[in-house]
Amino acid sequence: MLSQKQAEEAIVATTNSFNETEHEGGGGGGGGGVNGGTTREGEEREQDHSMFSVKSFLWHGGSVWDAWFSCASNQVAQVLLTLPYSFSQLGMLSGILFQIFYGIVGSWTAYLISVLYVEYRTRKEKENVSFKNHVIQWFEVLDGLLGPYWKAAGLAFNCTFLLFGSVIQLIACASNIYYINDKLDKRTWTYIFGACCATTVFIPSFHNYRIWSFLGLGMTTYTAWYLAIAALIHGQAENVTHSGPAKLVLYFTGATNILYTFGGHAVTVEIMHAMWKPQKFKYIYLLATLYVFTLTLPSAAAVYWAFGDQLLNHSNAFSLLPKNRFRDAAVILMLIHQFITFGFACTPLYFVWEKVIGMHDTRSICLRALARLPVVIPIWFLAIIFPFFGPINSAVGALLVSFTVYIIPSLAHMLTYRKASARQNAAEKPPFFMPSWTAMYVFNAFIVVWIFVVGFGFGGWASMTNFVRQIDTFGLFAKCYQCKPPLPPPHPAAVAPPPLHRHH
């Protein structure tokens, strides 16, 4: 095992590397270090040391807590602001039930992804494959376990999902800042935030998101409780109605937005790879989801209770709450968090692009940042073409998240362990709460069928119908989607009364 000093020098020399485990020798990511006591002790010493180093504290994160913060922070961002809109489409009871259901299913498929990652890495390390300076990604796991066709499917769905996930963050930034400063229209704000978010090209990997994940979750927590408390203080709006669910199209659009909410684990493999002990990831996503429930359920329920059907025309919850310093603070914190989430969604795209152009093992951060810039430009452009905040969440959920996050991991797990020999030599056995491989197979099959029929089928039909309706109503390149009526028109009306007085 390399000494502590050598390990740190190696990390500094290869800033772009996730993988401290290689520098420590034992390969804590699913290979030789899975059951090795010495390796685990060494890594625990590494973690203890990192707690006392300021640079490590802020920059190099690979602990279980880092992974938990990354998962929880990445799971809820601008979606918090659209969940009340989903509740107005679904009704209160369906909204709560769908959140709990998709939260559990999402945690299960994240668990499957972690199992497949460990399986892939274990097999590769037995073949003496080194992952030094290389970040393992989901499509590579699929390629190693199931072959090139699965790699192509994983790559296509994952990249498209992350691309639109980044687009949504940009749209959300412009939508939110507009509620503080409406002197500029949302499209102009999108230009400005596109330039700001482009700076994420300088963050080498998920290893370097430690402080950002921590801050991001704090910001989301404040925003969620602000929404809940502000709605309760405001009380129910005059003549409030709660007619949801009223239309099938709206019902499945809302359900698909919730499917999207708990499908934030397109970056699970990258987060795992950043850990010193990826085997410990197994239940982290579930624990993150349980915390997220404490944010999403109270805030969505309270805002829907207060404003009811008004939310059908206000996909961003901020637009209905009174303007005051608490709302402005929530908007600003949400903006910072959306910048962080943009980085989360974009970083795997940066890795893929680096691998395509042969820059992935380049040590210079500036060179890599330059190479990554072409990834940001199409994201920027798409955010300006389709500025539809709530509807685009549902469309992405139905057409991309359903496969990327739910169907592909479930099918991949079923096919990887279809043979008795694969089950016998599995790096990870079925969890304690699942009695057998057969039970896992049945549950995975249920997820595939449910998500395909309800999420992709009904959800795809509903969200695309809604999405096309937005284009018909607002047009592409909408200058200010769902903005308040511009201020100039009221002025003539305000000036109009004097002639009436003369008449009297």
Side-chain angles (χ1 to χ4, degrees):
M1 183 176 284
L2 295 176
S3 70
Q4 181 62 51
K5 189 175 177 184
Q6 287 172 311
E8 288 180 347
E9 284 169 356
I11 293 163
V12 173
T14 57
T15 323
N16 61 326
S17 174
F18 269 0
N19 216 355
E20 283 188 63
T21 52
E22 270 81 42
H23 299 299
E24 290 165 356
V34 175
N35 299 310
T38 312
T39 305
R40 184 175 290 124
E41 287 164 15
E43 283 160 349
E44 282 169 0
R45 281 200 302 275
E46 175 72 34
Q47 291 179 46
D48 291 340
H49 174 80
S50 72
M51 295 299 288
F52 300 103
S53 164
V54 174
K55 183 176 179 181
S56 293
F57 179 73
L58 295 176
W59 191 246
H60 292 299
S63 69
V64 169
W65 280 105
D66 287 307
W68 183 84
F69 276 115
S70 291
C71 288
S73 174
N74 189 40
Q75 199 163 313
V76 282
Q78 97 299 332
V79 170
L80 259 185
L81 310 176
T82 62
L83 283 174
Y85 166 68
S86 297
F87 269 48
S88 70
Q89 296 168 320
L90 287 163
M92 187 76 81
L93 179 63
S94 287
I96 292 168
L97 292 177
F98 267 116
Q99 276 207 40
I100 294 167
F101 175 70
Y102 281 130
I104 292 166
V105 171
S107 300
W108 174 255
T109 53
Y111 167 76
L112 297 181
I113 290 171
S114 73
V115 167
L116 293 171
Y117 168 87
V118 170
E119 182 67 39
Y120 167 76
R121 186 148 178 184
T122 303
R123 291 183 187 183
K124 287 295 177 186
E125 288 184 350
K126 281 177 183 171
E127 298 166 11
N128 294 321
V129 174
S130 170
F131 293 108
K132 187 177 181 181
N133 296 340
H134 182 92
V135 177
I136 298 172
Q137 292 187 269
W138 177 227
F139 69 90
E140 292 167 317
V141 172
L142 290 172
D143 186 28
L145 297 176
L146 296 168
Y149 291 113
W150 280 84
K151 173 186 177 180
L155 194 57
F157 278 109
N158 229 32
C159 288
T160 315
F161 168 40
L162 291 167
L163 180 79
F164 278 98
S166 306
V167 169
I168 288 166
Q169 298 310 320
L170 268 192
I171 296 168
C173 283
S175 178
N176 290 346
I177 191 68
Y178 181 78
Y179 298 119
I180 290 184
N181 183 339
D182 57 7
K183 289 176 184 172
L184 297 176
D185 59 73
K186 288 182 184 176
R187 188 167 67 193
T188 307
W189 281 119
T190 305
Y191 291 133
I192 293 166
F193 278 100
C196 295
C197 289
T199 58
T200 56
V201 296
F202 290 101
I203 301 176
S205 73
F206 282 101
H207 216 39
N208 313 118
Y209 271 99
R210 167 175 274 188
I211 194 68
W212 294 114
S213 297
F214 176 75
L215 291 174
L217 193 58
M219 293 165 189
T220 314
T221 302
Y222 171 86
T223 304
W225 285 107
Y226 156 75
L227 289 173
I229 294 164
L232 293 172
I233 291 171
H234 178 278
Q236 288 195 308
E238 196 178 341
N239 301 322
V240 68
T241 54
H242 299 85
S243 59
K247 293 179 183 173
L248 217 53
V249 169
L250 294 179
Y251 188 82
F252 284 109
T253 304
T256 311
N257 188 41
I258 293 178
L259 177 141
Y260 170 82
T261 305
F262 294 97
H265 43 289
V267 293
T268 301
V269 170
E270 288 84 357
I271 291 171
M272 280 187 76
H273 195 86
M275 291 177 71
W276 293 309
K277 292 293 293 176
Q279 295 78 17
K280 292 183 179 180
F281 184 88
K282 278 184 274 187
Y283 305 117
I284 286 175
Y285 198 89
L286 175 63
L287 296 173
T289 300
L290 293 175
Y291 179 77
V292 165
F293 281 152
T294 69
L295 307 182
T296 57
L297 288 168
S299 61
V303 176
Y304 177 54
W305 169 82
F307 298 103
D309 291 350
Q310 286 184 53
L311 285 156
L312 289 168
N313 297 314
H314 295 84
S315 52
N316 189 328
F318 281 145
S319 61
L320 288 171
L321 290 163
K323 182 174 169 61
N324 55 37
R325 65 181 185 276
F326 295 109
R327 192 189 79 164
D328 288 353
V331 172
I332 290 163
L333 291 177
M334 214 58 190
L335 283 170
I336 300 167
H337 188 225
Q338 277 154 355
F339 166 79
I340 297 165
T341 312
F342 181 92
F344 263 104
C346 249
T347 301
L349 291 176
Y350 295 152
F351 293 151
V352 172
W353 177 245
E354 286 169 2
K355 289 169 185 175
V356 168
I357 62 172
M359 294 282 282
H360 188 55
D361 55 355
T362 304
R363 293 186 179 189
S364 165
I365 292 175
C366 292
L367 264 179
R368 290 179 74 191
L370 266 177
R372 289 170 168 192
L373 274 177
V375 176
V376 180
I377 294 162
I379 292 167
W380 208 349
F381 190 61
L382 285 167
I384 293 159
I385 299 176
F386 303 114
F388 314 129
F389 187 39
I392 202 173
N393 275 7
S394 300
V396 168
L399 305 179
L400 299 170
V401 176
S402 55
F403 282 94
T404 303
V405 167
Y406 297 99
I407 293 174
I408 290 177
S410 302
L411 281 175
H413 190 274
M414 289 161 75
L415 291 172
T416 299
Y417 297 109
R418 67 190 181 279
K419 292 179 182 173
S421 57
R423 294 193 292 273
Q424 198 173 342
N425 299 317
E428 292 282 345
K429 302 300 180 190
F432 68 90
F433 55 83
M434 195 65 77
S436 66
W437 286 100
T438 308
M440 288 188 81
Y441 195 95
V442 169
F443 191 50
N444 287 342
F446 164 75
I447 291 171
V448 171
V449 173
W450 175 276
I451 300 294
F452 187 78
V453 175
V454 177
F456 177 70
F458 288 112
W461 159 73
S463 57
M464 287 314 293
T465 304
N466 193 24
F467 191 65
V468 170
R469 194 176 292 153
Q470 302 296 323
I471 293 174
D472 290 341
T473 307
F474 295 95
L476 298 175
F477 298 97
K479 196 171 185 181
C480 212
Y481 171 69
Q482 283 189 347
C483 294
K484 296 168 189 170
L487 290 176
H491 291 305
V495 179
L500 292 174
H501 290 302
R502 263 190 244 117
H503 181 68
H504 282 299

